[in-house]
């Protein structure tokens, strides 16, 4: 299209949002009954997640069966492998045929994996979740002590289809010591979906200088989260007696007072330390303790990473992504620059900030949602779910904007699709 024509179309569409709109106009309803809004996708859908089950591990089988039913996953998305359970570490030679079998059995639409075991949590120097995501390769491990590793192609990735866009299926382990704990974890994730919970992100600066390296960015993160997620900077060894924990990021070997905390469904928490990903370890606190205390997702390293911030989650990126309606596995993976040595654990499809709320006021609809990224969106309307749809205006979304005014066009189907502004090239 000629640039002048594009500009005229843009201005005409923009004008539609400022004038009474008559597209398919019916009598304005007094409430939102019968009004449906189709938003751009933000989270992974159950059909896009494959669950990997170890048939030699009864607990893995039990977790896999429960998760498939709870999330209503397609039967074809359950991938069965077999290996000796109970050991924290797997050799690359044992892992290679398992990975090949999983790759062969994975339906093409699958964008991410869920594992259903606690052990093994590593393949040689890689975490088990990174090994299934990338395949075993020592480039994802430190070549020498404290060395950086290969960079994550999903780092700060804003898309919704990691396999289709970047050729990587991010992996998360539904790790638990027993079935009851796994069941509670899964139920928390499902309960959280679309609830947009009111809670607090706690950024804890500790006296442990070596493990407190993320704290230098806490002030900037708190400023960026204003109006988005309530955030508090705290100093000490740990927080206690709080019942509104939505995020909790700290750096210390063992986190105290966990039993005094109330975690919101969908909550995320992790501590920067060397061995948090050794899920059966005792010298330092296992990341598993976060899930046992009520969190829905966590992260830890399985080998010595030193305190390179890039090997641990960036709290700001994680909060921003998760708060935009993405699934837990998407948001966590987008926050770690060098994930080769780190294991992601939790309920992968949890998405507490997905969805929308709609209210009617006079001749307007007010849409409250977090899933619209900054940019322009074309609004289309139809009385019927299959169309035909007619263009009804153009919407501009700002950074961290959650409230939007739409014209009242009557009962029917409203669709927002991301478009580029004419002058964006």
């Amino acid at each position: 299209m000629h640039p002048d024509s594009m500009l005229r179309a843009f201005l005409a569409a923009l004008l539609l949002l400022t004038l009474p709109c008559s597209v398919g106009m019916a009598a304005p309803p007094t409430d939102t009954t019968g009004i449906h809004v189709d938003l751009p996708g933000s989270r992974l859908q159950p059909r896009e997640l494959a669950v990997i089950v170890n048939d030699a591990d009864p607990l893995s089988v039990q977790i896999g069966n429960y998760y498939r039913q709870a999330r209503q996953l397609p039967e074809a998305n359950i991938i069965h492998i077999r290996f000796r359970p109970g050991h924290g570490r797997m050799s690359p030679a044992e892992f290679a045929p398992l990975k090949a079998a999983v790759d062969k059995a994975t339906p093409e639409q699958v964008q991410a994996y869920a594992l259903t075991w606690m052990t093994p949590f590593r393949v040689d120097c890689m975490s088990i979740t990174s090994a299934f995501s990338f395949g075993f390769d020592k480039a994802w491990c430190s070549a020498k002590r404290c060395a950086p590793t290969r960079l994550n192609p999903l780092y700060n990735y804003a898309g919704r289809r990691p396999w289709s866009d970047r050729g990587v299926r991010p992996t998360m382990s539904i790790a638990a010591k027993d079935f009851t704990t796994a069941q509670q974890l899964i139920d928390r994730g499902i309960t959280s979906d679309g609830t947009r919970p009111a809670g607090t992100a706690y950024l804890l600066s500790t006296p442990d200088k070596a493990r407190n390296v993320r704290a230098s960015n806490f002030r900037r993160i708190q400023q960026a989260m204003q109006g988005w997620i309530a955030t508090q900077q705290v100093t000490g060894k740990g927080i206690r007696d709080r019942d509104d924990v939505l995020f909790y990021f700290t750096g210390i070997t063992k986190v105290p007072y966990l039993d005094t905390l109330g975690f919101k469904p969908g909550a995320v928490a992790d501590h920067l330390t060397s061995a948090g990903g050794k899920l059966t370890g005792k010298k330092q606190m296992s990341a598993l303790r976060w899930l046992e205390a009520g969190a829905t997702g966590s992260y830890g390293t399985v080998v010595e990473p030193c305190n390179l911030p890039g090997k641990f989650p960036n709290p700001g990126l994680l909060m921003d992504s998760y708060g935009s309606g993405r699934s837990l596995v998407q948001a966590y993976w987008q926050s770690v620059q060098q994930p080769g040595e780190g294991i992601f654990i939790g309920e992968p499809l949890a998405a507490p900030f997905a969805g929308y709320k709609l209210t009617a006021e006079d001749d307007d609809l007010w849409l409250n949602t977090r899933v619209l990224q900054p940019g322009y969106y074309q609004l289309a309307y139809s009385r019927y779910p299959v169309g035909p749809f007619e263009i009804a205006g153009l919407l501009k979304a700002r950074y961290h904007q959650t409230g939007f005014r739409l014209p009242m066009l009557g009962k029917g189907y409203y669709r927002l699709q991301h478009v580029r502004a004419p002058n964006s090239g």
Side-chain angles (χ1 to χ4, degrees), residues 170-411:
T171 305
M172 178 168 279
S173 180
I174 306 172
K177 295 178 180 178
D178 55 68
F179 177 67
T180 298
T181 305
Q183 185 181 34
Q184 292 171 346
L185 168 64
I186 292 167
D187 291 348
R188 283 198 301 274
I190 295 173
T191 299
S192 76
D193 288 350
T195 57
R196 289 171 292 169
T200 303
Y202 292 97
L203 308 178
L204 182 68
S205 180
T206 73
D208 189 333
K209 292 183 179 181
R211 297 173 179 85
N212 198 41
V213 291
R214 292 189 294 186
S216 61
N217 288 321
F218 283 173
R219 182 178 180 182
R220 179 186 58 80
I221 293 171
Q222 184 178 28
Q223 292 174 341
M225 292 300 117
Q226 288 182 4
W228 187 242
I229 294 173
T231 305
Q232 289 187 21
Q233 293 186 74
V234 186
T235 301
K237 292 184 177 181
I239 60 173
R240 63 189 305 171
D241 301 321
R242 311 291 175 94
D243 62 1
D244 65 342
V245 181
L246 187 55
F247 296 93
Y248 186 178
F249 300 106
T250 184
I252 199 168
T253 57
K254 295 184 179 181
V255 181
Y257 319 128
L258 287 184
D259 294 339
T260 74
L261 302 179
F263 290 86
K264 294 288 186 177
V268 179
D270 62 56
H271 60 305
L272 190 153
T273 193
S274 296
K278 294 182 178 181
L279 301 183
T280 58
K282 296 181 180 179
K283 290 185 178 179
Q284 296 184 359
M285 190 184 96
S286 164
L288 210 59
R289 279 289 296 122
W290 289 110
L291 304 189
E292 293 167 350
T296 304
S298 191
Y299 173 93
T301 49
V302 301
V303 296
E304 176 58 65
C306 296
N307 61 350
L308 275 66
K311 294 186 178 183
F312 295 89
N314 179 315
L317 290 180
L318 174 50
M319 292 163 62
D320 193 73
S321 179
Y322 201 40
S324 297
R326 295 185 179 90
S327 305
L328 178 62
V329 66
Q330 297 170 273
Y332 235 142
W333 267 85
Q334 292 166 19
S335 75
V336 184
Q337 185 188 53
Q338 301 168 54
E341 298 166 343
I343 183 169
F344 299 83
I345 60 175
E347 198 282 279
L349 291 180
F353 294 100
Y356 68 89
K357 181 179 179 181
L358 198 64
T359 56
E361 183 177 322
D362 298 327
D363 293 330
D364 293 323
L365 287 173
W366 287 96
L367 173 69
N368 187 281
T369 185
R370 288 170 162 264
V371 306
L372 297 183
Q373 298 299 299
Y376 291 90
Y377 295 83
Q378 184 184 80
L379 174 66
Y381 169 79
S382 174
R383 294 186 184 182
Y384 310 102
V386 295
F389 281 85
E390 297 184 53
I391 296 175
L394 192 72
L395 190 73
K396 180 179 181 181
R398 301 185 302 274
Y399 178 66
H400 282 181
Q401 183 177 355
T402 59
F404 303 90
R405 181 179 65 85
L406 305 180
M408 177 70 81
L409 305 175
K411 294 183 179 181

Side-chain angles (χ1 to χ4, degrees), residues 38-43 160 371-372 377 416-418:
D38 182 18
L39 297 173
S42 61
R43 60 177 296 187
R160 197 193 67 80
V371 306
L372 297 183
Y377 295 83
L416 285 168
Q417 287 186 303
H418 184 262

Side-chain angles (χ1 to χ4, degrees), residues 32 48 82-83 129 149 190 223 280 332 343:
T32 60
E48 296 174 311
R82 181 176 290 271
F83 59 87
T129 51
T149 69
I190 295 173
Q223 292 174 341
T280 58
Y332 235 142
I343 183 169

